[in-house]
Amino acid sequence: MQMITRFSLYGFLKNLDFSEPFLILFYLSIGLNFLQIGVLVSFLNFCVNLMEIPSGALADIYGRKSSMIVSLVSYIVAFAIFAFSHSYPPLFVAIFFYSIGEAFRTGTHKAMIFDWLRKNNRMDEKTKVYGFTRSWSKYGSAISVVISSVIIIFSKDYRWIFIFSIIPYIAGVWNIACYPEYLNNRQEQKMSIREIFMHTFGSVKKTFVDSRIRKLVVQSMGFEGVFEVTKDYLQPVLKAQAVILAAVFLLPEKEMTAIVVGAVYFILHIASAKASKRAHIFQD
């Protein structure tokens, strides 16, 4: 039960990214247009996809705990750059570090959960356990929206959401460092640079040769690719509604935007958390 708590704590802390529900609005606040924002979104997805397989290979070689710590530290660096960026070019550097965080994280923590389940002969509970830990990720997102809305209302500046996001990610590094060493799954023998490249090339080759993996990649591109690019554009839509409400209730635009965005995202994340927690019932 202690490890399930730690797995849940990881998701909870990782989703305390106060910038997520307001990232597009932050871009707009510093004078970017939608074309420039689209280029940043495309650059993020390009970098993440470019590093997905090498990051997986490096996790195999140097260990999953190490990979997760690199991921969280990269997020922290990205938040710091975002907070102090006043022009367009530095945002690409922030996005690059953010993409490292995304690439080194995706799939790695799931693999650690499944390793723990196998070791404890609980693979038949995988949907229930993963759904439970995923629900805490969504609870983290819901609480994150509330906190970020409060930060924006009182600070009147989107930059503070990046600075405050650093705190839970530091706690996340500590949490991952406390995972048992067997979950690191690090290769015992040292590998040369050539062997690392060969291992990476073999992983890439398998992606194209194995029809089952190829099918999963195509399905992921078809759904997640479109979803990831479009989901954050809900923010300016909600802001447009908030402008109308601000005029009706005679409240400042930024504060009303924080309230509307916060309320909608909070409801969505809570609903998602409830669904994740009950996924095993649907499976049964």
Side-chain angles (χ1 to χ4, degrees), residues 37-47:
I37 294 171
V39 171
L40 287 174
V41 172
S42 300
F43 180 69
L44 171 62
N45 285 280
F46 172 78
C47 289

Side-chain angles (χ1 to χ4, degrees), residues 48-68:
V48 170
N49 284 290
L50 187 67
M51 288 186 282
E52 279 280 8
I53 294 175
S55 65
L58 290 171
D60 290 341
I61 296 166
Y62 294 108
R64 291 169 181 165
K65 278 177 63 176
S66 305
S67 179
M68 293 297 300

Side-chain angles (χ1 to χ4, degrees), residues 1-39:
M1 192 64 190
Q2 181 185 10
M3 279 311 302
I4 294 177
T5 302
R6 287 210 174 273
F7 292 147
S8 301
L9 181 61
Y10 157 76
F12 181 81
L13 292 171
K14 195 275 296 177
N15 279 30
L16 289 180
D17 175 1
F18 305 131
S19 68
E20 185 181 5
F22 296 98
L23 186 59
I24 300 293
L25 299 183
F26 164 72
Y27 290 149
L28 293 171
S29 73
I30 60 174
L32 301 189
N33 57 45
F34 282 108
L35 174 61
Q36 291 172 312
I37 294 171
V39 171

Side-chain angles (χ1 to χ4, degrees), residues 42-284:
S42 300
F43 180 69
L44 171 62
N45 285 280
F46 172 78
C47 289
V48 170
N49 284 290
L50 187 67
M51 288 186 282
E52 279 280 8
I53 294 175
S55 65
L58 290 171
D60 290 341
I61 296 166
Y62 294 108
R64 291 169 181 165
K65 278 177 63 176
S66 305
S67 179
M68 293 297 300
I69 290 172
V70 167
S71 168
L72 293 172
V73 170
S74 296
Y75 279 123
I76 291 169
V77 173
F79 291 144
I81 297 171
F82 272 122
F84 297 102
S85 294
H86 294 274
S87 60
Y88 196 44
L91 294 175
F92 284 93
V93 181
I95 289 289
F96 177 73
F97 277 101
Y98 196 91
S99 69
I100 293 174
E102 289 283 283
F104 275 76
R105 173 188 65 80
T106 51
T108 306
H109 196 257
K110 294 182 185 72
M112 295 170 83
I113 293 175
F114 290 137
D115 273 357
W116 181 83
L117 289 168
R118 286 190 196 94
K119 185 175 177 65
N120 291 275
N121 298 315
R122 295 179 64 174
M123 279 301 288
D124 57 325
E125 298 178 62
K126 60 181 182 293
T127 305
K128 185 176 183 179
V129 171
Y130 186 71
F132 179 81
T133 60
R134 181 68 176 168
S135 71
W136 276 101
S137 298
K138 290 300 178 181
Y139 287 135
S141 295
I143 292 172
S144 172
V145 170
V146 175
I147 295 173
S148 57
S149 299
V150 171
I151 292 170
I152 291 168
I153 290 169
F154 285 97
S155 70
K156 296 180 171 58
D157 191 337
Y158 290 113
R159 296 182 187 280
W160 284 101
I161 56 179
F162 296 107
I163 295 172
F164 279 102
S165 294
I166 293 173
I167 299 170
Y169 276 68
I170 292 174
V173 172
W174 165 80
N175 182 50
I176 292 292
C178 293
Y179 279 23
E181 191 57 33
Y182 70 81
L183 290 178
N184 203 20
N185 202 29
R186 180 179 179 177
Q187 289 195 11
E188 296 297 328
Q189 60 184 45
K190 292 185 177 180
M191 299 181 73
S192 65
I193 298 296
R194 181 179 178 277
E195 287 174 320
I196 291 173
F197 274 106
M198 290 300 293
H199 181 74
T200 304
F201 176 75
S203 302
V204 175
K205 183 180 178 182
K206 187 174 183 180
T207 303
F208 290 99
V209 173
D210 192 320
S211 61
R212 294 169 301 174
I213 298 177
R214 190 168 63 243
K215 183 180 178 182
L216 285 173
V217 170
V218 171
Q219 289 175 342
S220 177
M221 289 169 61
F223 173 73
E224 290 192 23
V226 175
F227 178 74
E228 286 296 322
V229 169
T230 57
K231 67 182 177 67
D232 289 332
Y233 284 96
L234 175 62
Q235 296 168 25
V237 173
L238 293 175
K239 182 180 180 180
Q241 301 304 311
V243 170
I244 298 171
L245 291 173
V248 172
F249 294 103
L250 302 177
L251 291 172
E253 179 186 320
K254 185 169 283 188
E255 283 79 348
M256 182 55 75
T257 300
I259 293 169
V260 171
V261 172
V264 171
Y265 273 80
F266 179 82
I267 292 168
L268 291 174
H269 289 311
I270 289 295
S272 183
K274 297 294 184 184
S276 294
K277 208 167 187 177
R278 290 165 173 76
H280 68 284
I281 299 172
F282 179 77
Q283 182 199 39
D284 292 341

